[in-house]
Amino acid sequence: MTNLIRHRLFWPIAVLVVLLASNLVFSDNFFTITLQDGHLYGSLIDVLRRSAPLVLVALGMTLVIATGGIDLSVGSVMAISGALACLLIGDLSNPDSTTKVLLVVGAAIVLCLVFGLWNGFLVAVLGIQPIIATLILMVAGRGVAQLITGGQILNVHSSPYRVIGAGYFLSVPVSFLIAAAAVALTVALTRRTALGLLLESVGGSPTASRLAGIRARRITIMVYVFAAAFAGVAGLIYSSDVSSADSNAAGNLIELNAILAVVLGGTALTGGRFSIAGSVLGAVIITTLDITAVSVGVPVETTLLFKAVVVIILCLAQSATFRAKVFGRFAAKRTVTA
Amino acid sequence: MVLQMTGIKKVFPGVVALDGVDFRLAPGEIHALMGENGAGKSTLIKVLTGVYDIDGGEIELGGEKVRFTGPLQAQQAGISTVYQEVNLCPNLSVAENIYIGREPRRFGRIQWSEMRKRAKRSLARLDLDIDVSAQLDSFSLAIQQMVAIARAVDLQAKVLILDEPTSSLDKDEVDQLFAIMHRLKDQNTAILFVSHFLDQVYEIADRMTVLRNGKLIGEYRTADLPQMQLVSKMIGKELEALEKIEEQTREVPVRGEPLIRATNLGRTGAIAPFDLTIHAGEVVGLAGLLGSGRTELARLLFGADRPDSGELTIDGKPARLSSPRDAMTKGIAFSSENRRTEGIIGELTVRENIILAMQAERGWTRPIPRRRQDELVDRYVKALQIRPADPERLVRDLSGGNQQKVLLARWLITEPRLLIIDEPTRGIDVGAKAEIQRLVAQLADGGMAVLFVSAELEEVLRLSHKIEVLRDRRLVEELTNGDDVDADRIMQTIAGGVTP
């Protein structure tokens, strides 16, 4: 039992279970999954579908945070990728051509890679503090997105494009499949290779890592590129889901949710050890929280407050110091009586 | 007795760190706590300073039963500590460091000038005259240590704990510290002193308590316990190990093309241009005082810093080392003197720390297969007797000596041709020290070139074929080790008595 509680994923899983269970109380059919027109429907499917962008962004954020950095620009990169994709699709003679849409998607992701390189360059080569370095793109990126869309909301009508965010493959939401693939890719990239170990080493002690012969600079640049690429994909999912590019709404405040997801998942902001499964759980928890707020009937104006309270409780539950203070007292009393 | 600890027990998951240990301290005595790494010294100190709560036993301070729930409480009860590694805020001023948490205040506002004045006064008591408003990290490690002591002394302590206070001090500074300790002793302060330097312990301690494997071995008056007996009590066996190395005659390796040759290599502000050759199978010792440029020289040979003059050839071919990685591809390994900040990665496991350099060299795309990792790690954990012998334990939970062994293992598995080790035996116990020295000798016999940096002359003399003596960031003399070379001879050069 103690081993179970000590497991780093115990508390995130517990919270997720509690959240889902509380939904059951308030809405009877929360766990009902039905098949309509060959698509799976239901609140749980909704959770999976709507978690996708946050999961993607949180994955990149996890790796960046593992190196001891942080990436505030992911929301803006989302906006840029959606904006470029919608602009290019709008210019297509045949927006329903799958090949052309794939090319457009590729172009948007390449642009994001360039922005990731920029972040990595600022942090690893120029040595600017990550929070400042990525703040530049966080602010400037929205401007770039607005430049691309000409300051307007670009609407597109392209059935292949719409598949990314709103489509289904074998009854399963495509956005969920993309997120799942991204998780698998990240796990493979970090745990099947030595990248994870080197990341944790750089995050744990940059000086010692350099003296152990690790090329920290390359690795650092790589994680920012990675984060931007995943943010770009998240941007495509978002913009495809709403069939438009909104430079202000796309990825708004997602960097904070992503950081929260990473922290909830048990990765420390100081860098070092990271948990991909934890971050994914964190992202799902945050999305579930949003959906729960609606299903439980929390008034719209207090949703954010509701979210904050749950997050505080979760953070306290995860803090060993806090647990020791609360439960340690009981334990001490018990030994005294015994 | 000002302090009486009875039957102290402290258990960590899987380890009994302290098993019914008694410890007592009289006012006005200097009491040494002795034991190997992992014997429980640090744990006992942490229990006493309120960092750890105890799982059994009693602590009596000034006749009253106490139980500390935090370091602050222990401090308020009159127990002050100066830890092994300087535990201050490097980015604050000296005065702030001395008075942090108890700044002189008036109407809630800090009285800066009063604080500086008091800081100046308390440092003057230690014969230290420095600018107290300067940032702490602008001073040498030795001065920082003195500031830490000034802070502890200023807390009006009944019990003062000095945990390895001398490991970064040179001879004069040690004498200065001992003078202060004597003065405090005369003022009836009880001093608990931990040091790996046996000579120092015998010079200053009145009594000593010996621990081994978390158990109490005994309490002795220094005068009653000869040094050899103390060591055998600490390691639990007779001290053949150390003597064997001393008997060993070191054969001079076959000469030929040197493995590495530095010509006029130097870096402004770090080390003046020097010439140095190292052959395969040769142990070259670097001797000199703290801050004489030993580490700086070593770092240039590893590419950790870039030289701004001179050349380096490896196997007769010119080489440019612009990063540690470059040096590693040339077969050079470097284990830093700063174990904690430049060596181990504390939150990684022993296994991960050991394979780190090898993995870095292979690149991230070619992970070392897990089975091969386990094989390598197993072999070195056994060969170097790393304890606990659990490769999945976090390195930060190991004692200093074992961390050092992990670092050695990290480099040995890369099979370097030149191993540079900077102060590998600092702050570690006699047993581990002998093991590491024996290992260095073995490696050299096997054809590895070793650059051995140490502040302990006996050690340098015992191991080296050739000794390079540094003074004031300059390589001043090269001595071929032989019967005519002894510690006094080197001391003279270090002190500037012999013109090279």
Side-chain angles (χ1 to χ4, degrees), chain B residues 438-472:
Chain B
R438 197 170 35 229
L439 185 75
V440 168
Q442 259 172 28
L443 290 170
D445 288 343
M448 195 184 287
V450 180
L451 183 66
F452 188 81
V453 186
S454 173
E456 283 186 51
L457 292 182
E458 290 74 19
E459 193 172 72
V460 173
L461 273 167
R462 190 176 300 155
L463 289 170
S464 313
H465 298 109
K466 197 163 80 180
I467 300 166
E468 311 286 334
V469 188
L470 290 116
R471 183 175 69 230
D472 296 335

Side-chain angles (χ1 to χ4, degrees), chain B residues 1-10 18 21-25 43-70 73-74 77 79 159 161:
Chain B
M1 291 292 136
V2 58
L3 174 79
Q4 183 114 33
M5 298 169 89
T6 339
I8 300 296
K9 190 166 179 163
K10 177 73 203 171
L18 291 175
V21 170
D22 299 339
F23 179 76
R24 44 194 202 127
L25 202 53
T43 314
L44 188 72
I45 287 174
K46 284 187 176 155
V47 161
L48 187 53
T49 52
V51 177
Y52 296 147
D53 198 3
I54 45 177
D55 300 318
E58 267 178 17
I59 305 176
E60 258 181 54
L61 187 68
E64 274 175 63
K65 242 171 97 173
V66 288
R67 184 155 190 177
F68 303 129
T69 49
Q73 275 190 319
I79 297 178
V159 174
I161 301 170

Side-chain angles (χ1 to χ4, degrees), chain B residues 239-249 438 462:
Chain B
L239 235 158
E240 301 148 30
L242 264 183
E243 282 158 5
K244 239 179 219 158
I245 291 183
E246 271 181 299
E247 288 164 14
Q248 213 167 32
T249 42
R438 197 170 35 229
R462 190 176 300 155

Side-chain angles (χ1 to χ4, degrees), chain A residues 6 189 192-195 197-198 200-215 219 222 270-273, chain B residues 299 302-304 324-325 328 334 336 341-345 347-349 352 355-357 359-360 363-365 367 394 410-411:
Chain A
R6 279 227 192 88
L189 203 61
R192 306 297 288 179
T193 73
L195 186 63
L197 172 67
L198 300 188
E200 288 176 334
S201 172
V202 170
S205 170
T207 328
S209 298
R210 175 170 175 267
L211 288 179
I214 297 172
R215 292 199 173 112
I219 288 180
M222 206 153 86
T270 45
R273 287 277 187 217
Chain B
R299 286 176 67 95
F302 187 58
R325 183 58 171 281
M328 283 166 64
F334 169 68
S336 164
T341 53
E342 297 184 349
I344 57 152
I345 316 266
E347 58 190 298
L348 297 187
T349 64
E352 288 168 325
I355 63 154
L356 197 59
Q359 184 62 67
W364 65 272
T365 47
L394 297 188
R410 175 192 289 174
W411 291 114

Side-chain angles (χ1 to χ4, degrees), chain A residues 183-199 274 276, chain B residues 359 362-370 373:
Chain A
V183 172
L185 176 72
T186 315
V187 170
L189 203 61
T190 54
R191 300 302 183 198
R192 306 297 288 179
T193 73
L195 186 63
L197 172 67
L198 300 188
L199 273 177
F274 64 90
I276 292 169
Chain B
Q359 184 62 67
R362 289 167 67 110
W364 65 272
T365 47
R366 292 173 54 225
I368 306 168
R370 183 57 191 260
Q373 289 185 23

